Amino acid sequence: MDRVFLRRLLFSGAPLTGCYRYKDVFQLTPAPADAPRPPYVNGDYPLILELQFDPRIEPEREDDFWHRDVWERVRDNELGGSPWLDEQIAAHREMTSQRRGSAIVKEITVLLNVLTNHRFFQYESTGVWTRPAPALTNSTGGVLRRLFSRKWQHPKGPTDTGSDWRQLGYALSLLNTPSGGFSTLDVAEIPLAPMGKYYNVVPDTLIVGQDFHIQLPEAIDALLNKYFALDAELKHAFYAACHLWGQFGELRSTAPSMALVAAASAIETLANLGDSPEAANCPECGTPSSIEKCSNCGVPRYRLTSRFRNFMLKYAGTESGQLANKLYRFRGNISHAGDLLRQE
């Protein structure tokens, strides 16, 4: 069956000035030159995602390429052994088919959020109250002084706030243009940087100047190849870890405590991959089996904590042991005791 082509609008915290194509799977291209951009350096910059994929779902599809494919297969097998009526299963499959494209777009953004130093996202269809943003100047006087003065009022007056109920969104006519394949644009490819240099940069760093644009690691193709070559279990675990890491990025400015839980859980997902829950617990009482004790107080250090620390030591360097212990302790205090971080 022929593949389906989709064109979707994404956003990132930095502008996209070049294009990137991963095989015949997806392509990132800049938004048109006349597309609206943020009026300030710090804002949401539009870009275009073009995607080709097999629209068939389980059981019509035979191979699994995306994590979505793995999920669909597992879910369909569960329905086969459930008390659902045939009509209910058919309705669920229809809904799964309708949501397949959006789920794969989400999967691409989740992967890019981990494999690159940038956050890629879409707007949710939600309504918000809006009002005109007050003007700012770089000087210490004028508009800026009036803004922070207690006598300053909205330009429309003290009783008229000028608030409007609007839907969060971004209109772009290009998305409605039918196409049977990837666009051909006269722009250079996205700059690629050496991995050692690239991953030493703090993600989403605001860099004002000619370097303020999306860059990718030179191994981006190889990293994506490794992901799509994973077997079902590993792909499910890695995608789950990437998804949790993405939630960390989304929550860190609004819910720092839960953001930390999401970050630790993302690491823990990979640290405990392949472990049997039964093997990690005492067969008599069900308590997590201790593999070591604290040399200072003698209290057992249970398997989950040790695996988390050992995973960090292996992949983040020998100097990360103390950080791993602190991170996992914070995570446990938040999850089990409601001990919020200080900024909350």
Side-chain angles (χ1 to χ4, degrees):
M1 183 177 181
D2 293 338
R3 293 186 297 174
V4 171
F5 177 84
L6 290 181
R7 182 184 285 120
R8 292 290 184 266
L9 181 70
L10 300 182
F11 294 92
S12 185
L16 180 69
T17 59
C19 62
Y20 169 72
R21 180 184 295 183
Y22 176 68
K23 299 182 177 180
D24 60 349
V25 179
F26 71 88
Q27 176 175 273
L28 302 176
T29 59
D34 57 349
R37 261 74 172 180
Y40 310 109
V41 174
N42 192 2
D44 298 343
Y45 290 84
L47 64 137
I48 306 299
L49 168 68
E50 296 180 339
L51 165 68
Q52 294 185 127
F53 66 96
D54 186 343
R56 295 175 297 175
I57 64 170
E58 174 71 15
E60 288 79 15
R61 193 193 64 257
E62 297 180 355
D63 60 329
D64 293 339
F65 180 77
W66 303 93
H67 168 265
R68 178 69 179 187
D69 301 341
V70 175
W71 180 88
E72 288 176 359
R73 190 175 301 278
V74 171
R75 181 58 176 157
D76 200 76
N77 290 337
E78 291 175 348
L79 293 179
S82 71
W84 283 26
L85 301 175
D86 291 343
E87 294 81 358
Q88 292 175 309
I89 295 177
H92 176 80
R93 286 174 175 167
E94 177 65 23
M95 181 177 62
T96 300
S97 178
Q98 293 175 356
R99 296 178 176 177
R100 179 168 169 77
S102 297
I104 292 177
V105 171
K106 176 67 174 180
E107 184 170 345
I108 292 175
T109 63
V110 167
L111 288 174
L112 292 177
N113 288 344
V114 171
L115 300 181
T116 77
N117 286 334
H118 307 279
R119 189 170 75 91
F120 297 85
F121 56 95
Q122 295 180 287
Y123 284 160
E124 301 293 337
S125 298
T126 182
V128 293
W129 282 108
T130 63
R131 65 180 178 84
L136 296 177
T137 67
N138 292 327
S139 65
T140 57
V143 176
L144 190 58
R145 183 168 59 248
R146 293 197 303 272
L147 175 63
F148 290 98
S149 171
R150 285 182 294 179
K151 296 181 180 180
W152 184 88
Q153 297 175 344
H154 192 277
K156 292 188 177 182
T159 59
D160 184 2
T161 62
S163 298
D164 294 311
W165 181 257
R166 302 182 179 225
Q167 181 178 358
L168 190 64
Y170 186 102
L172 195 62
S173 60
L174 173 67
L175 301 179
N176 301 322
T177 303
S179 175
F182 293 124
S183 301
T184 301
L185 298 179
D186 187 19
V187 294
E189 295 182 355
I190 298 177
L192 302 180
M195 286 186 62
K197 177 181 178 181
Y198 186 83
Y199 290 118
N200 281 332
V201 176
V202 178
D204 290 326
T205 302
L206 183 62
I207 302 175
V208 180
Q210 67 179 43
D211 289 335
F212 180 54
H213 54 77
I214 292 177
Q215 296 182 337
L216 299 177
E218 60 184 4
I220 183 66
D221 283 0
L223 294 173
L224 289 170
N225 289 340
K226 288 180 179 294
Y227 170 76
F228 289 115
L230 294 174
D231 62 30
E233 180 183 6
L234 292 175
K235 186 174 292 184
H236 176 76
F238 187 78
Y239 178 78
C242 292
H243 200 287
L244 288 167
W245 186 259
Q247 291 184 343
F248 156 71
E250 294 172 1
L251 293 172
R252 61 183 174 180
S253 61
T254 57
S257 294
M258 291 311 300
L260 186 143
V261 172
S265 297
I267 299 173
E268 190 176 20
T269 299
L270 299 179
N272 299 323
L273 180 61
D275 293 336
S276 170
E278 294 78 12
N281 297 337
C282 173
E284 181 175 348
C285 67
T287 302
S289 302
S290 175
I291 58 175
E292 62 181 27
K293 294 184 178 180
C294 176
S295 59
N296 184 36
C297 65
V299 172
R301 288 179 173 173
Y302 292 109
R303 188 179 301 271
L304 294 178
T305 307
S306 297
R307 286 177 178 168
F308 186 92
R309 187 184 66 255
N310 292 339
F311 184 87
M312 290 281 290
L313 289 172
K314 181 178 180 180
Y315 293 103
T318 56
E319 69 282 357
S320 63
Q322 184 176 359
L323 171 63
N325 288 336
K326 183 182 297 185
L327 177 61
Y328 202 75
R329 184 173 67 254
F330 284 158
R331 177 260 190 200
N333 291 343
I334 295 170
S335 300
H336 307 306
D339 188 5
L340 301 179
L341 299 176
R342 283 178 297 191
Q343 58 263 46
E344 292 191 73

